[in-house]
Amino acid sequence: MQIMDTADPVFSTAEIRDIEQQAARLPKPPRLMEKAGLAAAQVIRDQLLKGPGHQILVLAGPGNNGGDAFVVARYLQEWGNTVTVVFGGDGNRVPPDAKQALQAWFNIGGDICAEIPDGDRSWDAVIDGLFGIGLDQSQHRPIEGKYREWIEAVNQMATPIVALDIPSGLGSDDGCIYGIAIHATLTITFIGLKPGLFTHSGPECCGTIVLRDLDIQLPAPPEPHTWLLNHKLAQSILPPVRRANSHKGTFGNVAILGGSTGMTGAALLAGRAALHLGAGRVYLGLLADNAPPVDFSQPELMLRPPSELFTLAPLNCLIVGPGLGQSAEALPWLEKALTSDCTLIVDADALNLIAQHSPLAKKLSQRNASTILTPHPAEAARLLNTGTAAVQQNRMNAALQIAQQFNCYVVLKGAGSICCLPGGKRYLNTSGNPALSTAGTGDVLAGMMGALIAQGLKPDQALLLAVYLHGAAANRWVQQHHGMVGMVASEVIAEARLLLNEWVYRNGINGVKPLL
Ligand SMILES: NC(=O)C1=CN([C@@H]2O[C@H](COP(=O)(O)OP(=O)(O)OC[C@H]3O[C@@H](n4cnc5c(N)ncnc54)[C@H](O)[C@@H]3O)[C@@H](O)[C@H]2O)[C@@H](O)CC1
Ligand SMILES: Nc1ncnc2c1ncn2[C@@H]1O[C@H](COP(=O)(O)OP(=O)(O)O)[C@@H](O)[C@H]1O
Ligand SMILES: [K+]
C-alpha cells in the first residue's frame, strides 16, 4: 500500500505567487483575475443565489483581491442583480489588473460607495473581496479602521457571506486571525488550496470551501509539499479485509506504558481504543502504586507490571505516555521505551519529560525504529522550547520543526491537526470538531494509531488514517446528537470502530457465505 499520489495538494502563499508568476510568463498569459471573478460569480449564481433579482453587497479592498471583487460585481450585475460596491482603496493606486477591473465595472455603469450604505436595507449576499493572500502576514499587522468596521458590520448581518480566495483577515499560510476576520458561509479559493483555510481559525472562518484552479497549464508546476487529509485520502489507506484463516497473532500486539496514580484512566482509554480498533492483543503496564489487576468492564485488556511489557512476545507497537505523569519513577520507564526496537508512539507526559531532559531527547532522535509524536500545542511548545501562542501562530512550521528536530512522524493536534512525516511532507486534517475538546480524546487517538500499526499499516498510513478516522468519528457523533456538547472519549472509540468497519467492508463481508 502506498499513500495515493493523487491526493489534493495545498500550497503556501509563496508557491501560489510562483504559479501566478509562471503563468504571467507564458506565451499567452491567462487573464487570471477575469477568470477568477467569472468562476466565483458562477458559483455564487448557481450554488447560492440560484437565479437573478438579488440585492448584493460587494466589499472591495485596495489590492488584487479587490480586483476580483470588481469582476464578480460586474458579472452579477450583468446577470440581473442589483450590486452595491463599497471600495476602500484609492482608484489611482490599485494594482494594474484591479484598475482594469474597476474601469470595466464603471464601463457598465457601476458605481462605488466609500461606506456600507446606512439604513435597514437587506442584502441577499455579501461578497468579501477586501484582502486575499496579500494580507501582511510578516509582522502580524492587524486589520484596523474602516476595514475592521466593515468586517464587524457584515459578520453581524444574518446574510450569507462569500469570501473571495480567503476570508479577509485570515492568514493564508497560518490560519491566524489578523485582528479580525470575515466569517464566511462560502469561500471560493483560486489557483490552489491554502493551509490557512484548514488549520487553527481557518475551519471557523471559511464555511464551505470551493476550489477554482483557473485551469492554469504550466510546463513545470511547483512540486507540492503539503496535501489535504480528507475522506478520499483516508479511503486509500484502509487495512485490508480480514482473511478467513486468521488468528489473534495476525492482528498484532500493542502495549501501553503509563497510568500513574490518579491517571490510570488515560492508559485504560488508550488500551480500549487499541482493542476496539482491531489489535489482536493489548497489554497495559500501569505505573500506579495500587494499579488494578484487571479492568472489569474491559477484561480483554491484559494488565501487567510495567517491567513485563519488555519481556513480551514481539510487540508491533508500544505507546508511552497516557497518564505516565512526570515523576522520577516515570523517567527510567520512558528511557527504556525509547530504546525499544518496535514502532513507538510518544504521547502526553512522555513528551513533557523529553522536553525537560535532553538525554531523552537525544535518545529519541537516535532511535532506529519509527517513532510517532502526538503533541497538542502546549506539548509542542515545550518540545520546541517556546510558548503555545508561538506554536499556534505558525502551526505548519511547528509541526515541521518537531519532525525534523527529532526525526519523527508528528501530529500537531487541535483544530486542523497537522501530520508531518520525517522527510517534511505535511497533511492537513479536515475531519473533527470541538466536541473532541474533552479529556481523554488524545489517549484514544494514540490507542487507535497503535491498533492500526499492529494490523500492518506503516507508521505514515496509521498516523493519517487514525487522525482522520478520529475526527470523522466525532463528526458522526455530532450528527447523531444534533450538537457538540457532552461527547466523551469512550464514545469516540465506539463511533470509530463503526466507521472503520463501514469503510473496510463497504463491499460486503468477504468470506461469509449466505445461509442456504
Ligand atoms: N496576481 C494574480 O495573478 C491573481 C491574484 N488574484 C487575487 O489577488 C489576491 C492577491 O492580491 P494582492 O497581492 O494585491 O493582495 P491583496 O489584495 O490580498 O491585499 C493587498 C493589499 O492589502 C493591503 N494590506 C495588507 N495587509 C493589510 C492589513 N493588515 N491592513 C490593511 N491593509 C493591508 C496591502 O497594502 C495591499 O494594498 C489573491 O488573493 C486573489 O484574490 C486573483 O485575481 C487570481 C490572479
Ligand atoms: N476544536 C477541535 N477541533 C478538532 N479537533 C479537536 C478540537 N479540540 C480537540 N480536538 C482533538 O481532540 C484530541 C485532544 O487531544 P489531547 O489534547 O491530547 O487530549 P487528552 O490529553 O485529554 O487525551 C486531539 O486529537 C485534538 O486534535
Ligand atoms: K477575501
Side-chain angles (χ1 to χ4, degrees):
M1 276 185 290
Q2 285 291 318
I3 292 177
M4 61 180 281
D5 46 20
T6 55
D8 298 313
V10 179
F11 294 103
S12 68
T13 301
E15 288 166 335
I16 297 277
R17 296 273 190 219
D18 179 30
I19 295 172
E20 286 173 358
Q21 283 158 15
Q22 284 196 45
R25 289 196 297 270
L26 289 172
K28 279 192 188 159
R31 297 177 62 210
L32 291 181
M33 187 174 287
E34 188 63 25
K35 281 182 139 194
L38 173 59
Q42 285 168 334
V43 173
I44 294 163
R45 178 192 61 191
D46 299 341
Q47 296 185 24
L48 186 73
L49 299 176
K50 302 188 169 126
H54 297 280
Q55 298 280 335
I56 299 165
L57 174 66
V58 173
L59 304 180
N64 287 317
N65 197 241
D68 294 348
F70 298 134
V71 178
V72 170
R74 192 178 83 234
Y75 281 109
L76 291 177
Q77 176 93 3
E78 286 181 339
W79 296 339
N81 300 288
T82 306
V83 181
T84 301
V85 175
V86 178
F87 175 47
D90 171 349
N92 293 316
R93 292 178 56 190
V94 292
D97 285 357
K99 201 168 190 171
Q100 261 188 28
L102 177 58
Q103 190 55 52
W105 167 242
F106 287 145
N107 291 348
I108 64 154
D111 204 355
I112 49 175
C113 312
E115 288 295 338
I116 299 176
D118 280 340
D120 51 0
R121 193 154 161 195
S122 75
W123 309 99
D124 296 308
V126 174
I127 314 301
D128 156 39
L130 289 176
F131 305 105
I133 59 170
L135 184 78
D136 188 353
Q137 294 174 76
S138 56
Q139 307 294 328
H140 261 264
R141 172 183 167 198
I143 292 180
E144 287 166 344
K146 65 183 170 197
Y147 294 123
R148 183 182 178 92
E149 285 166 24
W150 294 353
I151 293 174
E152 258 165 9
V154 299
N155 276 348
Q156 277 168 20
M157 294 176 184
T159 308
I161 305 180
V162 181
L164 301 179
D165 209 18
I166 183 155
S168 296
L170 185 71
S172 48
D173 282 331
D174 53 28
C176 291
I177 291 178
Y178 287 71
I180 190 166
I182 286 283
H183 276 63
T185 319
L186 172 68
T187 295
I188 306 167
T189 201
F190 307 123
I191 299 177
L193 300 172
K194 290 108 188 148
L197 303 177
F198 299 99
T199 197
H200 201 30
S201 297
E204 186 157 276
C205 293
C206 291
T208 304
I209 296 169
V210 172
L211 169 66
R212 287 294 175 264
D213 63 12
L214 310 184
D215 193 25
I216 303 173
Q217 304 292 341
L218 297 179
E223 279 276 308
H225 304 100
T226 304
W227 293 265
L228 220 52
L229 174 49
N230 53 14
H231 191 75
K232 180 173 74 171
L233 179 56
Q235 300 311 299
S236 73
I237 45 180
L238 295 173
V241 297
R242 293 191 166 197
R243 306 282 301 269
N245 186 13
S246 65
H247 54 89
K248 63 189 171 210
T250 318
F251 305 113
N253 303 331
V254 176
I256 294 144
L257 181 59
S260 295
T261 306
M263 294 183 285
T264 45
L268 291 172
L269 276 170
R272 290 182 186 191
L275 202 57
H276 286 92
L277 271 290
R281 299 185 192 92
V282 181
Y283 300 92
L284 296 184
L286 299 176
L287 267 61
D289 294 335
N290 297 314
V294 66
D295 175 356
F296 283 108
S297 47
Q298 197 72 74
E300 300 85 350
L301 291 173
M302 292 177 267
L303 275 53
R304 302 284 167 84
S307 58
E308 274 190 32
L309 296 190
F310 298 93
T311 61
L312 293 169
L315 285 180
N316 302 88
C317 182
L318 175 61
I319 301 171
V320 60
L324 182 73
Q326 297 184 36
S327 67
E329 197 209 343
L331 263 178
W333 290 118
L334 173 56
E335 194 172 351
K336 212 165 162 47
L338 289 170
T339 52
S340 72
D341 56 9
C342 66
T343 300
L344 183 66
I345 297 175
V346 185
D347 187 31
D349 271 334
L351 296 166
N352 295 327
L353 284 172
I354 287 167
Q356 289 161 33
H357 298 274
S358 52
L360 292 181
K362 193 167 172 203
K363 276 210 160 67
L364 171 62
S365 43
Q366 290 174 344
R367 273 175 53 76
N368 289 324
S370 301
T371 315
I372 303 177
L373 309 183
T374 60
H376 59 51
E379 289 156 354
R382 290 174 202 126
L383 287 172
L384 293 172
N385 196 21
T386 181
T388 309
V391 166
Q392 292 294 71
Q393 268 173 22
N394 199 339
R395 286 170 55 80
M396 290 291 285
N397 196 35
L400 180 65
Q401 265 185 281
I402 297 172
Q404 288 177 337
Q405 188 169 324
F406 298 103
N407 188 30
C408 287
Y409 298 82
V410 173
V411 50
L412 174 57
K413 297 185 291 196
S417 289
I418 297 163
C419 302
C420 188
L421 312 189
K425 287 182 175 172
R426 281 171 290 188
Y427 296 83
L428 274 156
N429 188 35
T430 55
S431 67
N433 64 70
L436 283 166
S437 303
T438 177
T441 50
D443 306 314
V444 166
L445 176 67
M448 289 171 57
M449 230 175 257
L452 295 175
I453 288 167
Q455 288 166 90
L457 266 65
K458 299 198 175 77
D460 52 355
Q461 297 170 326
L463 167 70
L464 297 178
L465 181 55
V467 167
Y468 184 79
L469 177 60
H470 183 256
N475 289 352
R476 185 186 171 112
W477 186 95
V478 163
Q479 267 177 0
Q480 283 168 355
H481 293 78
H482 312 289
M484 299 193 188
V485 181
M487 183 180 74
V488 296
S490 303
E491 290 173 299
V492 181
I493 302 176
E495 297 290 350
R497 176 175 67 177
L498 217 110
L499 266 185
L500 184 63
N501 276 307
E502 275 180 20
W503 293 349
V504 174
Y505 293 96
R506 64 157 55 91
N507 296 324
I509 302 171
N510 267 10
V512 179
K513 297 203 176 93
L515 290 175
L516 292 174

